[in-house]
Amino acid sequence: MIENIKSFLGSFFVTGDPMIYGADASIALASIGIVFYLTYFKKWKWLWDEWLTTVDHKKIGIMYIIAAILMLFRGGVDALLMRAQLIIPNNTFLTSQHYNEIFTTHGTIMIFFMAMPFIFGLMNIAVPLQIGARDVAFPFLNAVSFWLFFLAAMLFNISFVIGGSPDAGWTSYAPLAGLKLDPGVGENYYLIALQISGIGTLATGVNFLVTIFKMRAPGMTLFKMPMFTWSTLVTSIIVIFAFPVLTIALALMSIDRLFGAHFFTIEAGGSPMMWANLFWIWGHPEVYIVLIPVLGIFSEVISTFAHKTLFGYKAMVWSMIAISVLSFTTWLHHFFTMGNTAMVNSFFSISTMIIAIPTGVKIFNWLFTLNKGRIEFTTAMLWALAFIPNFTIGGITGVMLSLAPADYQYHNSYFLIAHFHNVLIAGTVFGVFAGLHYWWPKMFGHILNERLGKWAFWVFMISYNICFLPMYFIGLMGMTRRMYTFPSGLGWEPLNLIITLGAFGMGVGFLIMVWMIVYSAKYGKRDTTGDPWNGRTLEWATSSPAPEYNFAHIPQVETVDAFAHMKEKGTADSIYKAPFQAIHMPNDSGIPFILSVFFFIAGFGLVFEWYWMAIPGAIGIVVCMILRSFKDHDDHHHIPAEEVEQTERAAGRLS
Amino acid sequence: METTNHTPIEYSTEEGSNKILGFWVFLGAEIVLFSALFSVYLVLHSHTAGGPTSKDLFEVREFMIETFLLLISSFTCGLGTIELRRHNVKGLVAWLVITLLLGLGFVGMELNEFITYVTVEHATIQTSAFLSGFFVLVGTHGAHVSLGIVWMICVVIQLLRRGVTPVTARKAFIIGLYWHFLDVVWIFIFTAVYLTGLVL
Ligand code: HEM
Ligand SMILES: [Cu+2]
């Protein structure tokens, strides 16, 4: 009996590595600390009422961003561990198995649990405000999306201490990720956690599409929408068409692993290549899901701090739409080397190169926006300006990779690693950092410290180039990706050392940023006007932080850059003039959180194939949905006019 | 019918019309989902790995009855929507209940088909890639119908309790959309899986 329990615990918890024991201890300590803090300061009710049950898009956005920053930390630690292993030849810091697990969790976390939620957080904060709405179209569903993401992220993260991490790469190729070659629970974690968060992502896509189509302020036609709103609309459409394919791919592989089916196996007629196709039919659009929104952010930031209307508004919109369509026609460039005919490779080679055209259009439009602008070098603007050249390097090396015959040389080498980090970091990460600085005052009512912000920017940006530029060369010298160690004597030592130093430099940049956030919370300059940057779009028309109902009166829109126009005309105060009326708002609800907890329970059960746990979890999910169906007949309340008046007065908007 | 000139009740509130649009968009995503499953199935159709083929398995009588049950249920569901426009709860509920019974009949027959394959023909999801594709494609549709049944029961209860309000009308309308959609998917299954499977 005791022996049984011992052997169960030995396989349930990951054992044998001092680093893991350290992690176990710190997770336990942090959990105890949080529980103690909440209990001692009697904060449980506050947590439940203000956060766990909220359906307010601004709070949901804040929670997304906090979670994404935590995941950036986790994914970043993974990156540093990998680079620490590769700092010298024949290093024994990590074993091959450990290295496999780390690059898998790094890639998966960065894409699914850092980049996407960070972007969704910024969309949540800004889009309803930019279109002059009181909330998103489906606030309840919005909370469901968030909690599904959050609990899926937790499910994925515990794999590291319970049961073991996935180790077949973020692409989880069959047959490597199949049961035969990869027994154990690790890959199940990947499949189930991504499935759960994918459901939430799809719901977000639907939600923002309807919000943008149906909830714009009067007068705001599609071609008067702010560029970030446009980018969100385009992204939502990509999500709606791409994510169902991921859902199917993950489901089929889960069925292979859990129920012995033969979709992607080698025997009984399965087709491993089908995984590669399904994965990338979703996967290439996915890279645009994390890119297009930040293109919107850069447009906002560049136009605001150049103090000019965006150059070529229509061209910007149409090029985004073109990119979104083309993004579905290029997936095969991820496996040029896997035995396609020359015709097929040529087709996908050309379709990939074509994407460079609309992307180039956008780059030139930003440059022309800057041309003759009164440029103000805020931290947000620095990130946006750094994006242009750094991203262009990633774009050009992308075109190099799209040449099918040449790709036989670059494929799966460090050249590729350098390319996609050049677009993912200089694009997505710089973009969300720019957005974070830009919208921070709207979220919290104070401005992030500019001096620390600039330090973080320079340290991060320079280290980023020290880290990733040498990777192109070491890739051309023959170093392949996913290599856990390398022998001496190949001439790779100096570049690997430099790369690792750059990686740690980025870690320092991240720490400065965290310090900047903490420091600014205490000493940050208050934003009393609601319009700290002399903004052009409607989110700057309301106070900072925005009140629960966003706008006391829904604004009337006449042109693009609606708020800049209102300021010129002197009608900016129209949104907070007395008399006020009662405002109709959605009620909070605990169901999204509880529903997601059941998803977690069911998911954990499936990971371990413990059906005694999975089935009750699934029943819990259905019960929550039925409860919601019976309760949504009166899920709104009114904020009385007096309360609106008090709120506006407290924000200093009424004299 | 005095309601024909006005906005139908399910569209009468902003929330109602948003939710209906949202559901249409969701159905767009469902089309992508089923397209992926269909492509997987069609690719794997010939990968029988020495196990039974579609010709060996499919029984014309069985799948024709299933098809008729589902097609008729779509028709009765449509009749329900007409009663909804007339604000006639009784008629609406009656048609929905008939729809439900037909749907249950369909799911019952499909389960029976699956059980026969597994127990009599020894054709399981583990036998071959073809059968994995078959069970998952047809089963996903069946799971959708089963979920629709649970959902429709909830809507019927709410209609009985509250009558036709903008909220219940919206719910009845949306479950109708869902039901018709599943019918359309079935037509594709009927053609691409069963009919094609008999000849190829
Ligand atoms: C913070 C700085 C970062 C560093 C130093 C870094 C470093 C690395 C390294 C060393 C690898 C593995 C190379 C190998 O194959 O051995 C890797 C892989 C990867 N990284 Fe990063 N990375 C960083 C940030 C990011 C970000 C922000 C993203 C996405 C938004 C990202 C996405 C990926 C992906 C998808 C992989 C591939 C994983 C796989 O092979 O399955 N990384 N990164
Ligand atoms: Cu791609």
Side-chain angles (χ1 to χ4, degrees):
Chain A
M1 182 66 196
I2 304 247
E3 273 311 303
N4 278 345
I5 294 179
K6 253 194 182 159
S7 83
F8 165 75
L9 289 180
S11 63
F12 186 68
F13 291 107
V14 177
T15 49
D17 186 312
M19 280 201 307
I20 303 257
Y21 292 131
D24 286 339
S26 48
I27 291 173
L29 277 178
S31 312
I32 295 170
I34 292 170
V35 170
F36 176 79
Y37 173 86
L38 290 170
T39 312
Y40 188 81
F41 292 99
K42 299 196 173 61
K43 291 274 191 190
W44 284 103
K45 194 171 154 24
W46 165 84
L47 182 70
W48 178 259
D49 290 346
E50 294 290 318
W51 298 97
L52 299 190
T53 61
T54 186
V55 295
D56 181 337
H57 69 97
K58 299 174 290 293
K59 287 188 182 168
I60 290 176
I62 290 174
M63 291 193 289
Y64 263 120
I65 291 174
I66 293 174
I69 292 177
L70 287 175
M71 290 296 112
L72 178 60
F73 175 73
R74 157 81 211 257
V77 171
D78 282 346
L80 295 186
L81 289 174
M82 285 189 285
R83 284 317 313 175
Q85 162 67 16
L86 294 176
I87 192 169
I88 47 167
N90 302 316
N91 200 359
T92 54
F93 173 57
L94 298 176
T95 62
S96 59
Q97 173 59 21
H98 205 161
Y99 192 88
N100 291 351
E101 292 177 9
I102 292 181
F103 71 65
T104 303
T105 54
H106 164 78
T108 311
I109 286 177
M110 284 297 197
I111 301 274
F112 288 92
F113 300 131
M114 190 288 285
M116 280 209 287
F118 214 132
I119 285 167
F120 288 172
L122 293 171
M123 285 178 182
N124 261 291
I125 306 261
V127 169
L129 290 167
Q130 286 198 323
I131 62 174
R134 294 249 145 85
D135 207 314
V136 293
F138 313 123
F140 178 93
L141 187 66
N142 199 21
V144 172
S145 291
F146 169 74
W147 288 111
L148 285 181
F149 143 69
F150 185 78
L151 283 148
M154 293 300 110
L155 182 62
F156 188 85
N157 272 276
I158 57 169
S159 69
F160 154 58
V161 287
I162 296 179
S165 299
D167 56 3
W170 88 282
T171 48
S172 196
Y173 272 174
L176 175 63
L179 199 54
K180 275 260 166 65
L181 296 175
D182 202 346
V185 297
E187 281 304 305
N188 297 354
Y189 271 114
Y190 170 96
L191 296 166
I192 309 287
L194 297 195
Q195 189 67 283
I196 294 173
S197 80
I199 299 169
T201 306
L202 180 63
T204 303
V206 175
N207 209 339
F208 277 86
L209 184 82
V210 177
T211 305
I212 296 173
F213 269 139
K214 304 271 280 191
M215 315 237 330
R216 299 189 308 273
M220 185 181 279
T221 56
L222 284 179
F223 278 87
K224 288 180 188 157
M225 296 196 311
M227 203 47 68
F228 182 58
T229 301
W230 254 116
S231 68
T232 303
L233 175 61
V234 171
T235 307
S236 304
I237 294 173
I238 307 183
V239 165
I240 290 160
F241 284 107
F243 262 77
V245 184
L246 177 70
T247 305
I248 290 300
L250 295 171
L252 299 187
M253 191 177 290
S254 309
I255 295 171
D256 268 6
R257 288 182 63 90
L258 299 180
F259 305 113
H262 293 287
F263 289 103
F264 309 122
T265 57
I266 314 178
E267 69 278 17
S271 166
M273 268 315 287
M274 190 135 67
W275 168 268
N277 276 291
L278 290 173
F279 184 85
W280 287 112
I281 287 175
W282 160 80
H284 193 84
E286 165 68 11
V287 305
Y288 285 96
I289 292 170
V290 297
L291 183 71
I292 288 184
V294 300
L295 301 183
I297 296 175
F298 290 127
S299 296
E300 302 289 351
V301 169
I302 288 178
S303 131
T304 302
F305 295 112
H307 299 282
K308 273 178 68 187
T309 317
L310 192 66
F311 183 90
Y313 177 98
K314 286 219 165 128
M316 285 297 211
V317 172
W318 284 111
S319 49
M320 272 193 300
I321 295 174
I323 293 176
S324 74
V325 174
L326 290 171
S327 74
F328 284 90
T329 64
T330 68
W331 78 89
L332 194 131
H333 62 209
H334 295 276
F335 43 92
F336 280 141
T337 56
M338 294 198 208
N340 316 293
T341 62
M343 271 312 285
V344 171
N345 269 1
S346 314
F347 175 86
F348 283 93
S349 190
I350 292 170
S351 65
T352 305
M353 283 183 243
I354 292 177
I355 294 201
I357 299 171
T359 317
V361 169
K362 296 189 79 74
I363 298 276
F364 282 107
N365 278 332
W366 287 311
L367 293 178
F368 284 123
T369 307
L370 292 169
N371 184 28
K372 302 205 177 134
R374 275 183 293 116
I375 298 176
E376 197 183 335
F377 291 95
T378 58
T379 313
M381 185 63 160
L382 287 179
W383 287 112
L385 293 176
F387 151 78
I388 297 177
N390 285 306
F391 179 82
T392 305
I393 298 177
I396 290 170
T397 53
V399 175
M400 290 170 72
L401 284 158
S402 79
L403 304 163
D407 182 60
Y408 275 71
Q409 189 65 35
Y410 314 130
H411 185 64
N412 272 0
S413 72
Y414 255 70
F415 188 91
L416 170 78
I417 301 281
H419 152 70
F420 71 65
H421 285 89
N422 241 304
V423 282
L424 280 168
I425 296 185
T428 305
V429 175
F430 284 15
V432 295
F433 287 170
L436 192 72
H437 277 268
Y438 185 62
W439 283 305
W440 190 271
K442 203 39 78 185
M443 294 156 63
F444 296 107
H446 63 262
I447 296 168
L448 285 173
N449 184 283
E450 283 283 314
R451 197 172 46 84
L452 287 171
K454 284 177 183 161
W455 268 102
F457 165 77
W458 286 110
V459 171
F460 194 96
M461 204 271 293
I462 293 173
S463 313
Y464 151 81
N465 277 301
I466 296 177
C467 180
F468 290 101
L469 288 183
M471 284 191 192
Y472 287 114
F473 299 99
I474 207 165
L476 293 177
M477 288 161 78
M479 180 154 158
T480 60
R481 76 189 283 200
R482 297 177 177 171
M483 215 169 142
Y484 85 102
T485 187
F486 63 95
S488 54
L490 292 170
W492 295 355
E493 289 92 339
L495 288 182
N496 266 319
L497 176 67
I498 294 172
I499 292 171
T500 299
L501 291 180
F504 279 87
M506 291 165 80
V508 174
F510 177 79
L511 290 181
I512 303 178
M513 214 171 242
V514 171
W515 170 239
M516 165 191 76
I517 289 174
V518 175
Y519 180 89
S520 312
K522 241 186 139 150
Y523 305 106
K525 197 169 126 227
R526 295 284 121 195
D527 168 27
T528 49
T529 61
D531 181 19
W533 315 122
N534 194 7
R536 315 180 67 78
T537 42
L538 287 176
E539 70 268 40
W540 308 112
T542 188
S543 48
S544 292
E548 187 195 345
Y549 48 79
N550 291 357
F551 301 95
H553 302 292
I554 296 295
Q556 293 283 333
V557 175
E558 288 168 31
T559 59
V560 253
D561 290 346
F563 183 51
H565 183 71
M566 285 160 92
K567 284 190 281 192
E568 269 168 39
K569 277 204 335 186
T571 56
D573 59 352
S574 63
I575 66 150
Y576 52 84
K577 259 195 190 139
F580 297 100
Q581 278 161 355
I583 295 178
H584 190 217
M585 294 300 291
N587 283 349
D588 289 351
S589 169
I591 294 179
F593 177 72
I594 296 169
L595 172 78
S596 307
V597 170
F598 280 118
F599 263 99
F600 182 93
I601 295 171
F604 192 81
L606 278 183
V607 166
F608 282 86
E609 298 179 58
W610 290 346
Y611 294 102
W612 54 265
M613 184 170 181
I615 292 169
I619 294 174
I621 295 169
V622 175
V623 169
C624 282
M625 301 207 309
I626 293 178
L627 267 182
R628 162 67 183 170
S629 174
F630 279 86
K631 287 185 72 167
D632 80 337
H633 293 266
D634 37 307
D635 65 345
H636 286 75
H637 64 280
H638 282 88
I639 302 180
E642 303 80 66
E643 198 182 318
V644 176
E645 182 166 348
Q646 273 166 20
T647 311
E648 293 294 313
R649 196 176 295 286
R653 302 228 127 190
L654 299 175
S655 38
Chain B
M1 287 215 291
E2 81 261 87
T3 47
T4 41
N5 295 331
H6 303 285
T7 326
I9 177 168
E10 67 273 14
Y11 282 99
S12 62
T13 60
E14 189 194 350
E15 194 194 344
S17 76
N18 284 355
K19 286 198 169 154
I20 293 171
L21 175 65
F23 199 76
W24 275 108
V25 176
F26 170 72
L27 289 184
E30 286 268 77
I31 291 176
V32 180
L33 186 127
F34 276 104
S35 313
L37 276 178
F38 272 108
S39 348
V40 169
Y41 172 79
L42 291 175
V43 169
L44 297 180
H45 176 246
S46 58
H47 297 206
T48 49
T53 65
S54 52
K55 265 192 201 149
D56 302 338
L57 290 175
F58 297 161
E59 296 279 349
V60 178
R61 206 181 76 96
E62 302 286 310
F63 71 73
M64 285 309 283
I65 299 177
E66 286 175 27
T67 306
F68 277 115
L69 285 178
L70 205 64
L71 286 186
I72 297 172
S73 82
S74 202
F75 182 64
T76 55
C77 183
L79 293 177
T81 311
I82 295 182
E83 294 305 324
L84 168 70
R85 293 283 161 83
R86 294 200 177 121
H87 294 214
N88 174 2
V89 188
K90 280 211 187 105
L92 170 58
V93 168
W95 286 121
L96 288 184
V97 171
I98 295 175
T99 309
L100 273 174
L101 293 175
L102 290 166
L104 274 175
F106 169 85
V107 173
M109 283 201 66
E110 187 165 278
L111 272 180
N112 185 43
E113 181 191 338
F114 282 10
I115 292 172
T116 315
Y117 289 170
V118 171
T119 54
V120 183
E121 317 268 357
H122 302 291
T124 72
I125 200 170
Q126 307 186 339
T127 310
S128 67
F130 154 62
L131 284 166
S132 303
F134 169 79
F135 279 111
V136 170
L137 169 58
V138 180
T140 305
H141 176 268
H144 273 72
V145 177
S146 312
L147 187 89
I149 289 173
V150 176
W151 181 5
M152 202 177 274
I153 293 174
C154 294
V155 174
V156 166
I157 296 174
Q158 293 173 45
L159 279 166
L160 289 174
R161 277 204 195 155
R162 296 169 187 261
V164 176
T165 67
V167 177
T168 54
R170 182 252 297 163
K171 292 186 180 208
F173 186 77
I174 288 183
I175 182 82
L177 288 180
Y178 182 72
W179 202 263
H180 295 310
F181 168 76
L182 292 180
D183 208 43
V184 175
V185 173
W186 180 260
I187 308 247
F188 280 93
I189 293 186
F190 175 73
T191 333
V193 176
Y194 287 102
L195 289 186
T196 316
L198 285 183
V199 285
L200 288 181

